[in-house]
Amino acid sequence: MYDLKWIREDPDGFDAALAKRGLEPQAATILKIDEQRRALVQKLQDAQAKRNSASKEIGKAKASGDEATAQKLMDEVAQAKEIIQSGEDEERQIDAALRDALSGLPNAPLDDVPQGEDESDNVEVRSWGDKPSFGFEPKQHFELGEALGLMDFETAAKLSGARFVVLKGALARLERAIASFMLDTHTSEFGYQETLPPALVRDEVLFGTGQLPKFADDLFVTKDDYWLIPTAEVPLTNMVRESIVEEDELPMRMTAWTPCFRAEAGAAGRDTRGMIRQHQFSKVELVSITTESQSLDELERMTGCAEEILKRLELPYRTVILSTGDMAFGARKTYDIEVWVPGQDMYREISSCSVCGDFQARRMNARYRVKGEKDLRFVHTLNGSGLAVGRTMIAIIENNQQEDGSITVPQVLQPYMGGLNKISAG
């Protein structure tokens, strides 16, 4: 959500920011609604003042026996009351129109974000690790997992349909091991507080982080109007909704391992085999709530925390800054971390770390108090995957595959696997 004061003071700058997102000018439309609202508010204030003044005079007129004047004043009060009642209805309609106009607009990108139409315009900023060299043709994760008898898409389809998987045995334990390793690292070394939030949330919570109303088709909703979370970003960020925190409490850093649910409405025909793009998956999420001055440094810190997980798993990756055309709705700047998957001979996204500025905070009414200042400020919010657990498993399987189809377990995960150093058939 945007600050109306900024749009009033710099409509050209507002339209220029949206133009980077490929949008037509919006300021004139928004300001027209805003002007209607401000004029109506003034009209209601005038009517209220007239009503109050006339009400006071009625008693005086009656006390002096001037019934004609008293009746005239009572008529004025009734007329003012009618104006106020109808005006309040109109005000609610205008407020809704203004909210709709603003809530459908994406966040303004920062100046250093590359302008572009899609992922082809993303810019690599660094890479790490050596891609593995095999003496055989590397297989994809689902080929390896199915051959081990530990990755079952057929049974999952019987249970739930396409884009689901049943993991068994060592691969089921590997998923748990990956998540536990991530949580332990983020909490014990990087200062994030482990949190276990609900996986079902209300409309206003998804509105706060920007998934509603624009992306309803990407979500699953229950018959009782609860929404299944697409990421733990949603409940974690909303932990500060409609609240005021003290400046010295910031930054707040939270992490959670949760199931995530996505309809993948726009993914028809993409990644139909395997675990890359599923309706249900698990992810370790990182969320930070900061002051304005802390947020950009926090983005670099958060991205570094996610990268460190890949380094310890010895998985080669690269980090790219997303172009304006590839960036998520609520982000001002995003780093994507892409891990190497040799079975596909390409890098695949495993984490997106974004700074949202006060965009989500305005939708949530989340503010902080600066010591010595009367006015409150909106917090800044950040989120990132630390990491997507299923995609981390994919990368581990494909980068650590052996010619006989077995999978070596990264050293840092072996304690979580009961000392198991290789996953084999049988």
CSV table of all heavy atoms in Angstrom, one decimal, residues 42-91:
chain,number,residue,atom,x,y,z
A,42,GLN,N,-14.9,17.3,4.1
A,42,GLN,CA,-15.1,18.7,4.4
A,42,GLN,C,-16.6,19.0,4.5
A,42,GLN,O,-17.0,19.7,5.4
A,42,GLN,CB,-14.4,19.6,3.4
A,42,GLN,CG,-14.5,21.1,3.7
A,42,GLN,CD,-13.8,21.4,5.1
A,42,GLN,OE1,-12.6,21.1,5.2
A,42,GLN,NE2,-14.5,22.0,6.0
A,43,LYS,N,-17.4,18.4,3.6
A,43,LYS,CA,-18.8,18.6,3.5
A,43,LYS,C,-19.4,18.1,4.8
A,43,LYS,O,-20.3,18.7,5.4
A,43,LYS,CB,-19.4,18.0,2.3
A,43,LYS,CG,-20.9,18.1,2.2
A,43,LYS,CD,-21.4,17.4,1.0
A,43,LYS,CE,-22.9,17.4,0.9
A,43,LYS,NZ,-23.4,16.6,-0.3
A,44,LEU,N,-19.0,16.9,5.2
A,44,LEU,CA,-19.5,16.3,6.4
A,44,LEU,C,-19.1,17.0,7.7
A,44,LEU,O,-19.9,17.2,8.6
A,44,LEU,CB,-19.0,14.8,6.5
A,44,LEU,CG,-19.5,13.8,5.5
A,44,LEU,CD1,-18.9,12.5,5.6
A,44,LEU,CD2,-21.0,13.7,5.5
A,45,GLN,N,-17.9,17.6,7.7
A,45,GLN,CA,-17.5,18.4,8.8
A,45,GLN,C,-18.3,19.6,9.0
A,45,GLN,O,-18.7,20.0,10.1
A,45,GLN,CB,-16.0,18.7,8.7
A,45,GLN,CG,-15.1,17.5,8.9
A,45,GLN,CD,-13.6,17.8,8.7
A,45,GLN,OE1,-13.3,18.8,8.1
A,45,GLN,NE2,-12.7,16.9,9.1
A,46,ASP,N,-18.6,20.3,7.8
A,46,ASP,CA,-19.4,21.5,7.8
A,46,ASP,C,-20.8,21.2,8.3
A,46,ASP,O,-21.4,21.9,9.1
A,46,ASP,CB,-19.5,22.1,6.4
A,46,ASP,CG,-18.1,22.6,6.0
A,46,ASP,OD1,-17.2,22.8,6.8
A,46,ASP,OD2,-17.9,22.9,4.7
A,47,ALA,N,-21.4,20.0,7.8
A,47,ALA,CA,-22.7,19.7,8.2
A,47,ALA,C,-22.8,19.4,9.7
A,47,ALA,O,-23.7,19.7,10.4
A,47,ALA,CB,-23.2,18.5,7.4
A,48,GLN,N,-21.7,18.7,10.2
A,48,GLN,CA,-21.7,18.4,11.7
A,48,GLN,C,-21.6,19.7,12.5
A,48,GLN,O,-22.2,19.8,13.5
A,48,GLN,CB,-20.5,17.5,12.0
A,48,GLN,CG,-20.4,17.0,13.4
A,48,GLN,CD,-21.6,16.1,13.8
A,48,GLN,OE1,-21.9,15.1,13.1
A,48,GLN,NE2,-22.3,16.5,14.8
A,49,ALA,N,-20.8,20.6,12.0
A,49,ALA,CA,-20.6,21.9,12.8
A,49,ALA,C,-22.0,22.6,12.8
A,49,ALA,O,-22.3,23.2,13.8
A,49,ALA,CB,-19.5,22.7,12.1
A,50,LYS,N,-22.6,22.6,11.6
A,50,LYS,CA,-23.9,23.3,11.5
A,50,LYS,C,-25.0,22.6,12.4
A,50,LYS,O,-25.8,23.3,13.1
A,50,LYS,CB,-24.4,23.3,10.1
A,50,LYS,CG,-25.7,24.1,9.8
A,50,LYS,CD,-26.0,24.1,8.3
A,50,LYS,CE,-27.2,25.0,8.1
A,50,LYS,NZ,-27.6,25.1,6.6
A,51,ARG,N,-24.9,21.3,12.5
A,51,ARG,CA,-25.9,20.6,13.4
A,51,ARG,C,-25.6,20.9,14.8
A,51,ARG,O,-26.5,21.1,15.6
A,51,ARG,CB,-25.7,19.1,13.1
A,51,ARG,CG,-26.5,18.2,14.0
A,51,ARG,CD,-26.2,16.7,13.7
A,51,ARG,NE,-26.9,15.8,14.6
A,51,ARG,CZ,-26.8,14.5,14.6
A,51,ARG,NH1,-25.9,13.9,13.9
A,51,ARG,NH2,-27.5,13.8,15.4
A,52,ASN,N,-24.3,20.9,15.2
A,52,ASN,CA,-24.0,21.2,16.6
A,52,ASN,C,-24.4,22.7,17.0
A,52,ASN,O,-25.0,22.9,18.1
A,52,ASN,CB,-22.5,21.1,16.8
A,52,ASN,CG,-22.0,19.6,16.7
A,52,ASN,OD1,-22.9,18.7,16.8
A,52,ASN,ND2,-20.8,19.4,16.5
A,53,SER,N,-24.2,23.6,16.1
A,53,SER,CA,-24.5,25.0,16.3
A,53,SER,C,-26.0,25.2,16.5
A,53,SER,O,-26.5,25.8,17.4
A,53,SER,CB,-24.0,25.9,15.2
A,53,SER,OG,-24.3,27.2,15.4
A,54,ALA,N,-26.7,24.6,15.5
A,54,ALA,CA,-28.2,24.7,15.5
A,54,ALA,C,-28.8,24.0,16.8
A,54,ALA,O,-29.8,24.5,17.4
A,54,ALA,CB,-28.8,24.1,14.3
A,55,SER,N,-28.2,22.9,17.2
A,55,SER,CA,-28.7,22.2,18.4
A,55,SER,C,-28.6,23.1,19.6
A,55,SER,O,-29.5,23.1,20.5
A,55,SER,CB,-28.0,20.9,18.6
A,55,SER,OG,-28.2,20.0,17.5
A,56,LYS,N,-27.6,23.8,19.7
A,56,LYS,CA,-27.4,24.7,20.9
A,56,LYS,C,-28.4,25.8,20.9
A,56,LYS,O,-28.9,26.3,21.9
A,56,LYS,CB,-26.0,25.3,20.9
A,56,LYS,CG,-24.9,24.3,21.1
A,56,LYS,CD,-23.5,24.9,21.1
A,56,LYS,CE,-22.4,23.9,21.3
A,56,LYS,NZ,-21.1,24.5,21.2
A,57,GLU,N,-28.7,26.3,19.7
A,57,GLU,CA,-29.6,27.5,19.6
A,57,GLU,C,-31.1,27.1,19.8
A,57,GLU,O,-31.9,28.0,20.1
A,57,GLU,CB,-29.5,28.1,18.2
A,57,GLU,CG,-28.1,28.8,17.9
A,57,GLU,CD,-27.8,29.9,18.9
A,57,GLU,OE1,-28.7,30.6,19.2
A,57,GLU,OE2,-26.6,29.9,19.4
A,58,ILE,N,-31.4,25.8,19.6
A,58,ILE,CA,-32.8,25.4,19.7
A,58,ILE,C,-33.3,25.7,21.1
A,58,ILE,O,-34.4,26.2,21.4
A,58,ILE,CB,-33.0,23.9,19.4
A,58,ILE,CG1,-32.8,23.7,17.9
A,58,ILE,CG2,-34.4,23.4,19.8
A,58,ILE,CD1,-32.8,22.2,17.5
A,59,GLY,N,-32.5,25.3,22.1
A,59,GLY,CA,-32.9,25.5,23.5
A,59,GLY,C,-33.1,27.0,23.8
A,59,GLY,O,-34.0,27.3,24.6
A,60,LYS,N,-32.2,27.8,23.3
A,60,LYS,CA,-32.4,29.3,23.5
A,60,LYS,C,-33.7,29.8,23.0
A,60,LYS,O,-34.4,30.6,23.6
A,60,LYS,CB,-31.2,30.0,22.9
A,60,LYS,CG,-29.9,29.7,23.6
A,60,LYS,CD,-28.7,30.5,22.9
A,60,LYS,CE,-27.4,30.1,23.5
A,60,LYS,NZ,-26.3,30.9,22.8
A,61,ALA,N,-34.0,29.3,21.7
A,61,ALA,CA,-35.2,29.8,21.1
A,61,ALA,C,-36.5,29.4,21.8
A,61,ALA,O,-37.4,30.2,22.0
A,61,ALA,CB,-35.3,29.3,19.6
A,62,LYS,N,-36.4,28.1,22.3
A,62,LYS,CA,-37.6,27.6,23.0
A,62,LYS,C,-37.7,28.3,24.4
A,62,LYS,O,-38.9,28.6,24.9
A,62,LYS,CB,-37.5,26.1,23.2
A,62,LYS,CG,-37.8,25.3,22.0
A,62,LYS,CD,-37.9,23.8,22.3
A,62,LYS,CE,-38.4,23.1,21.1
A,62,LYS,NZ,-38.6,21.6,21.4
A,63,ALA,N,-36.6,28.6,25.0
A,63,ALA,CA,-36.6,29.3,26.3
A,63,ALA,C,-37.2,30.7,26.2
A,63,ALA,O,-37.9,31.2,27.1
A,63,ALA,CB,-35.2,29.4,26.9
A,64,SER,N,-37.0,31.4,25.0
A,64,SER,CA,-37.5,32.7,24.8
A,64,SER,C,-38.9,32.7,24.2
A,64,SER,O,-39.5,33.8,23.9
A,64,SER,CB,-36.6,33.5,23.9
A,64,SER,OG,-36.5,32.9,22.6
A,65,GLY,N,-39.5,31.5,23.9
A,65,GLY,CA,-40.8,31.4,23.4
A,65,GLY,C,-40.9,31.5,21.9
A,65,GLY,O,-42.0,31.7,21.4
A,66,ASP,N,-39.7,31.6,21.2
A,66,ASP,CA,-39.7,31.8,19.8
A,66,ASP,C,-39.8,30.4,19.1
A,66,ASP,O,-38.8,29.8,18.6
A,66,ASP,CB,-38.4,32.5,19.4
A,66,ASP,CG,-38.5,32.9,17.9
A,66,ASP,OD1,-39.4,32.5,17.2
A,66,ASP,OD2,-37.5,33.7,17.5
A,67,GLU,N,-41.1,29.9,19.0
A,67,GLU,CA,-41.3,28.5,18.4
A,67,GLU,C,-40.9,28.5,16.9
A,67,GLU,O,-40.5,27.4,16.4
A,67,GLU,CB,-42.7,28.1,18.7
A,67,GLU,CG,-43.0,27.8,20.1
A,67,GLU,CD,-42.2,26.7,20.7
A,67,GLU,OE1,-41.9,25.8,19.9
A,67,GLU,OE2,-41.9,26.7,21.9
A,68,ALA,N,-41.2,29.6,16.2
A,68,ALA,CA,-40.9,29.6,14.8
A,68,ALA,C,-39.4,29.4,14.5
A,68,ALA,O,-39.0,28.6,13.7
A,68,ALA,CB,-41.4,30.9,14.2
A,69,THR,N,-38.6,30.1,15.3
A,69,THR,CA,-37.1,30.0,15.1
A,69,THR,C,-36.7,28.6,15.6
A,69,THR,O,-35.8,28.0,14.9
A,69,THR,CB,-36.4,31.0,16.0
A,69,THR,OG1,-36.8,32.3,15.5
A,69,THR,CG2,-34.9,30.9,15.9
A,70,ALA,N,-37.3,28.1,16.6
A,70,ALA,CA,-36.9,26.7,17.1
A,70,ALA,C,-37.2,25.7,16.1
A,70,ALA,O,-36.4,24.8,15.9
A,70,ALA,CB,-37.6,26.4,18.4
A,71,GLN,N,-38.4,25.8,15.4
A,71,GLN,CA,-38.7,24.8,14.4
A,71,GLN,C,-37.8,24.9,13.2
A,71,GLN,O,-37.4,23.9,12.6
A,71,GLN,CB,-40.2,25.1,13.9
A,71,GLN,CG,-40.7,24.0,12.9
A,71,GLN,CD,-40.7,22.6,13.5
A,71,GLN,OE1,-41.2,22.4,14.6
A,71,GLN,NE2,-40.0,21.7,12.8
A,72,LYS,N,-37.4,26.2,12.9
A,72,LYS,CA,-36.5,26.3,11.7
A,72,LYS,C,-35.1,25.7,12.1
A,72,LYS,O,-34.5,25.0,11.2
A,72,LYS,CB,-36.3,27.8,11.5
A,72,LYS,CG,-35.3,28.1,10.3
A,72,LYS,CD,-35.2,29.6,10.1
A,72,LYS,CE,-34.2,29.9,9.0
A,72,LYS,NZ,-34.0,31.4,8.8
A,73,LEU,N,-34.7,25.9,13.3
A,73,LEU,CA,-33.4,25.3,13.7
A,73,LEU,C,-33.5,23.7,13.7
A,73,LEU,O,-32.6,23.0,13.4
A,73,LEU,CB,-33.0,25.8,15.1
A,73,LEU,CG,-32.6,27.3,15.1
A,73,LEU,CD1,-32.5,27.7,16.6
A,73,LEU,CD2,-31.3,27.5,14.4
A,74,MET,N,-34.7,23.2,14.2
A,74,MET,CA,-34.8,21.8,14.2
A,74,MET,C,-34.8,21.2,12.8
A,74,MET,O,-34.3,20.1,12.5
A,74,MET,CB,-36.1,21.4,14.9
A,74,MET,CG,-36.0,21.5,16.4
A,74,MET,SD,-37.4,20.8,17.3
A,74,MET,CE,-38.7,22.1,17.0
A,75,ASP,N,-35.4,22.0,11.8
A,75,ASP,CA,-35.4,21.5,10.4
A,75,ASP,C,-33.9,21.5,9.9
A,75,ASP,O,-33.5,20.6,9.2
A,75,ASP,CB,-36.2,22.5,9.6
A,75,ASP,CG,-37.7,22.3,9.9
A,75,ASP,OD1,-38.1,21.3,10.5
A,75,ASP,OD2,-38.5,23.2,9.5
A,76,GLU,N,-33.1,22.5,10.3
A,76,GLU,CA,-31.7,22.5,9.9
A,76,GLU,C,-31.0,21.3,10.5
A,76,GLU,O,-30.1,20.8,9.8
A,76,GLU,CB,-31.1,23.8,10.4
A,76,GLU,CG,-31.6,25.1,9.6
A,76,GLU,CD,-30.9,26.3,10.1
A,76,GLU,OE1,-30.0,26.2,11.0
A,76,GLU,OE2,-31.3,27.4,9.7
A,77,VAL,N,-31.2,21.0,11.7
A,77,VAL,CA,-30.6,19.8,12.4
A,77,VAL,C,-31.0,18.6,11.6
A,77,VAL,O,-30.1,17.7,11.4
A,77,VAL,CB,-31.0,19.7,13.9
A,77,VAL,CG1,-30.5,18.4,14.4
A,77,VAL,CG2,-30.4,20.9,14.6
A,78,ALA,N,-32.2,18.4,11.3
A,78,ALA,CA,-32.7,17.2,10.6
A,78,ALA,C,-32.0,17.1,9.2
A,78,ALA,O,-31.6,16.0,8.7
A,78,ALA,CB,-34.2,17.2,10.4
A,79,GLN,N,-31.9,18.3,8.5
A,79,GLN,CA,-31.3,18.3,7.2
A,79,GLN,C,-29.8,18.0,7.3
A,79,GLN,O,-29.3,17.2,6.5
A,79,GLN,CB,-31.5,19.7,6.6
A,79,GLN,CG,-30.9,19.8,5.2
A,79,GLN,CD,-31.1,21.2,4.6
A,79,GLN,OE1,-31.2,22.2,5.3
A,79,GLN,NE2,-31.2,21.3,3.3
A,80,ALA,N,-29.1,18.5,8.3
A,80,ALA,CA,-27.7,18.2,8.5
A,80,ALA,C,-27.5,16.7,8.8
A,80,ALA,O,-26.6,16.1,8.4
A,80,ALA,CB,-27.1,19.1,9.6
A,81,LYS,N,-28.4,16.2,9.6
A,81,LYS,CA,-28.3,14.7,10.0
A,81,LYS,C,-28.5,13.9,8.8
A,81,LYS,O,-27.8,12.9,8.6
A,81,LYS,CB,-29.4,14.4,11.0
A,81,LYS,CG,-29.4,13.0,11.5
A,81,LYS,CD,-30.5,12.7,12.5
A,81,LYS,CE,-30.4,11.3,13.0
A,81,LYS,NZ,-31.5,11.0,14.0
A,82,GLU,N,-29.4,14.3,7.9
A,82,GLU,CA,-29.6,13.5,6.6
A,82,GLU,C,-28.4,13.6,5.7
A,82,GLU,O,-28.0,12.6,5.1
A,82,GLU,CB,-30.8,14.0,5.9
A,82,GLU,CG,-31.2,13.2,4.7
A,82,GLU,CD,-32.5,13.8,4.0
A,82,GLU,OE1,-33.3,14.4,4.7
A,82,GLU,OE2,-32.6,13.6,2.8
A,83,ILE,N,-27.8,14.8,5.7
A,83,ILE,CA,-26.5,14.9,4.9
A,83,ILE,C,-25.4,14.1,5.4
A,83,ILE,O,-24.7,13.4,4.7
A,83,ILE,CB,-26.1,16.4,4.9
A,83,ILE,CG1,-27.1,17.2,4.1
A,83,ILE,CG2,-24.7,16.6,4.3
A,83,ILE,CD1,-26.8,18.8,4.1
A,84,ILE,N,-25.3,14.0,6.8
A,84,ILE,CA,-24.2,13.2,7.4
A,84,ILE,C,-24.4,11.8,7.2
A,84,ILE,O,-23.5,11.0,6.8
A,84,ILE,CB,-24.2,13.6,8.9
A,84,ILE,CG1,-23.7,15.0,9.1
A,84,ILE,CG2,-23.3,12.6,9.6
A,84,ILE,CD1,-23.9,15.5,10.6
A,85,GLN,N,-25.7,11.3,7.3
A,85,GLN,CA,-25.9,9.8,7.1
A,85,GLN,C,-25.7,9.4,5.7
A,85,GLN,O,-25.0,8.4,5.5
A,85,GLN,CB,-27.4,9.5,7.5
A,85,GLN,CG,-27.6,9.6,9.0
A,85,GLN,CD,-29.1,9.3,9.4
A,85,GLN,OE1,-30.0,9.5,8.6
A,85,GLN,NE2,-29.3,9.0,10.6
A,86,SER,N,-26.2,10.1,4.7
A,86,SER,CA,-26.0,9.8,3.3
A,86,SER,C,-24.5,9.9,3.0
A,86,SER,O,-23.9,9.2,2.2
A,86,SER,CB,-26.9,10.6,2.4
A,86,SER,OG,-26.5,12.0,2.5
A,87,GLY,N,-23.9,11.0,3.6
A,87,GLY,CA,-22.5,11.2,3.3
A,87,GLY,C,-21.6,10.2,3.8
A,87,GLY,O,-20.5,9.8,3.2
A,88,GLU,N,-21.9,9.6,5.0
A,88,GLU,CA,-21.1,8.5,5.6
A,88,GLU,C,-21.1,7.3,4.7
A,88,GLU,O,-20.2,6.6,4.5
A,88,GLU,CB,-21.6,8.3,7.0
A,88,GLU,CG,-21.2,9.3,8.0
A,88,GLU,CD,-21.7,9.1,9.4
A,88,GLU,OE1,-22.7,8.3,9.5
A,88,GLU,OE2,-21.2,9.7,10.3
A,89,ASP,N,-22.3,7.0,4.1
A,89,ASP,CA,-22.4,5.9,3.2
A,89,ASP,C,-21.6,6.1,2.0
A,89,ASP,O,-20.8,5.2,1.5
A,89,ASP,CB,-23.9,5.7,2.8
A,89,ASP,CG,-24.8,5.1,3.9
A,89,ASP,OD1,-24.2,4.6,4.9
A,89,ASP,OD2,-26.0,5.3,3.8
A,90,GLU,N,-21.6,7.3,1.5
A,90,GLU,CA,-20.8,7.7,0.3
A,90,GLU,C,-19.3,7.6,0.6
A,90,GLU,O,-18.5,7.2,-0.2
A,90,GLU,CB,-21.2,9.1,-0.2
A,90,GLU,CG,-20.5,9.5,-1.5
A,90,GLU,CD,-20.9,10.9,-2.0
A,90,GLU,OE1,-21.8,11.5,-1.4
A,90,GLU,OE2,-20.3,11.3,-3.0
A,91,GLU,N,-19.0,8.1,1.8
A,91,GLU,CA,-17.6,8.0,2.2
A,91,GLU,C,-17.0,6.6,2.3
A,91,GLU,O,-15.9,6.3,1.9
A,91,GLU,CB,-17.4,8.7,3.6
A,91,GLU,CG,-16.0,8.8,4.1
A,91,GLU,CD,-15.8,9.4,5.4
A,91,GLU,OE1,-16.8,9.6,6.1
A,91,GLU,OE2,-14.7,9.8,5.8
